[in-house]
Amino acid sequence: MSFNINSFQLNGRRALITGSGKGIGLELARGLGAAGAIVVINDRNREKAQAVAAQLREEGISAETAVFDVTDRAQLFAAINTFEASSGPIEILVNNAGIQRRAPLEDYEANDWHELMRVNLDGVFHVSQAVARHMIARGRGKIINICSVQSELARPSIAPYAASKGAVKMLTKGMCAEWACHGIQANGLAPGYFATEMNRALVDDQAFSQWLCKRTPAGRWGKVEELCGAAVFLASPASDFINGQTIFVDGGLTSVV
Ligand code: NAP
């Protein structure tokens, strides 16, 4: 069969995006929705999830909600199983929820280490397992794990974050190793530097911003909507033979020293 441009369409497929009440997750929901997906907004706060879904519906996007904390295994399994039974199949999962905690490694609080790992790494494991069990039963599914340039590159004060994002990149390959035979494609999407709340300290730091623009071949910060093309591609049938890869959307940062 020859290539069909419609293979980029998401046409009524349900896409659950964790941590999509703001930032990159919200913008990815907008992008997947614009490509035809029914987006499922996840937040820990029910009112916030419902308000964001209502806002997206006003923008012409089909939006539903699933309320859970990615670190609460019992809660998220119940929420995902209930959603699957009552609303419909989750055919696309974007593991986006993540946090940052900055401190020198020698002073890094053990509690901060555990909290960061619980959200950034354990959360991807728990949510993926809950969703993949349904995908495996159906014999198809798309998983997109939000990695980072820190999946490859370390920086002072964020060693635990880099460790978590390196692990998510390898967990993506593990998902490919075990779930490709069930018709699931799991890939990573690795943003460079984008001005969201997570990076407020960096955005406010003029010296950092100048350094970043010199260090990035594109010469600037990324715009969150620039992540949507790769996300739509990885969520769509156009990428059905791409598995276990991580696509860097970073203005060239990881390609150049
Ligand atoms: P953000 O603006 O801080 O948004 C993070 C989202 O995750 C928020 O909606 C947050 O909810 C949610 N979240 C945090 N902990 C959660 C939990 N336990 N359960 C459910 N949701 C939770 O950050 P962002 O910049 O959009 O980052 C999104 C993802 O992209 C993260 O995985 C991050 O590591 C990655 N990333 C970002 C950049 C960048 O330049 N911004 C670069 C590379 C990778 P609350 O509002 O309730 O806290």
Side-chain angles (χ1 to χ4, degrees):
M1 228 173 45
S2 58
F3 172 71
N4 186 337
I5 190 67
N6 291 328
S7 64
F8 286 89
Q9 287 290 335
L10 302 180
N11 292 333
R13 295 191 179 188
R14 265 189 192 73
L16 167 63
I17 304 110
T18 65
S20 44
K22 67 180 183 194
I24 287 173
L26 174 55
E27 200 55 31
L28 292 179
R30 277 205 175 91
L32 297 176
I38 301 165
V39 299
V40 185
I41 298 299
N42 160 251
D43 197 274
R44 291 172 283 189
N45 179 296
R46 183 172 304 277
E47 288 70 38
K48 188 166 153 209
Q50 285 173 344
V52 169
Q55 169 64 36
L56 290 180
R57 284 194 292 272
E58 270 183 32
E59 296 172 23
I61 290 167
S62 300
E64 301 169 343
T65 58
V67 178
F68 58 82
D69 183 322
V70 300
T71 67
D72 185 336
R73 184 174 171 88
Q75 185 198 40
L76 72 88
F77 264 76
I80 287 166
N81 290 342
T82 303
F83 184 91
E84 280 263 345
S86 60
S87 299
I90 298 166
E91 297 175 277
I92 299 159
L93 166 65
V94 183
N95 283 305
N96 166 79
I99 60 171
Q100 177 65 283
R101 298 282 179 269
R102 296 186 178 86
L105 187 54
E106 65 275 20
D107 298 328
Y108 211 90
E109 295 287 344
N111 280 345
D112 286 342
W113 166 276
H114 290 304
E115 186 196 7
L116 188 137
M117 289 298 167
R118 268 199 300 274
V119 180
N120 291 10
L121 181 56
D122 300 9
V124 177
F125 163 68
H126 296 310
V127 177
S128 299
Q129 199 180 56
V131 173
R133 287 180 184 172
H134 296 280
M135 290 177 167
I136 288 168
R138 287 189 287 269
R140 74 174 206 181
K142 298 274 186 181
I143 299 177
I144 301 171
N145 295 323
I146 302 303
C147 298
S148 169
V149 290
Q150 265 81 47
S151 296
E152 295 293 340
L153 304 171
R155 261 188 71 74
S157 85
I158 57 166
Y161 180 85
S164 75
K165 291 297 182 177
V168 171
K169 184 190 76 173
M170 284 311 299
L171 184 56
T172 304
K173 295 190 186 199
M175 290 177 187
C176 167
E178 301 209 30
W179 296 342
C181 60
H182 298 293
I184 295 173
Q185 291 88 50
N187 290 289
L189 197 169
Y193 284 83
F194 290 77
T196 64
E197 207 167 307
M198 177 179 283
N199 281 336
R200 188 180 291 162
L202 304 181
V203 176
D204 292 346
D205 179 342
Q206 277 207 344
F208 178 87
S209 209
Q210 275 173 6
W211 169 83
L212 178 70
C213 292
K214 272 175 83 175
R215 173 68 181 80
T216 305
R220 61 173 173 84
W221 287 78
K223 303 174 198 155
V224 281
E225 62 271 22
E226 291 176 307
L227 292 164
C228 293
V232 169
F233 172 56
L234 292 177
S236 74
S239 62
D240 275 354
F241 202 53
I242 298 177
N243 217 335
Q245 299 297 313
T246 295
I247 296 183
F248 287 81
V249 181
D250 65 357
L253 182 64
T254 46
S255 295
V256 175
V257 284

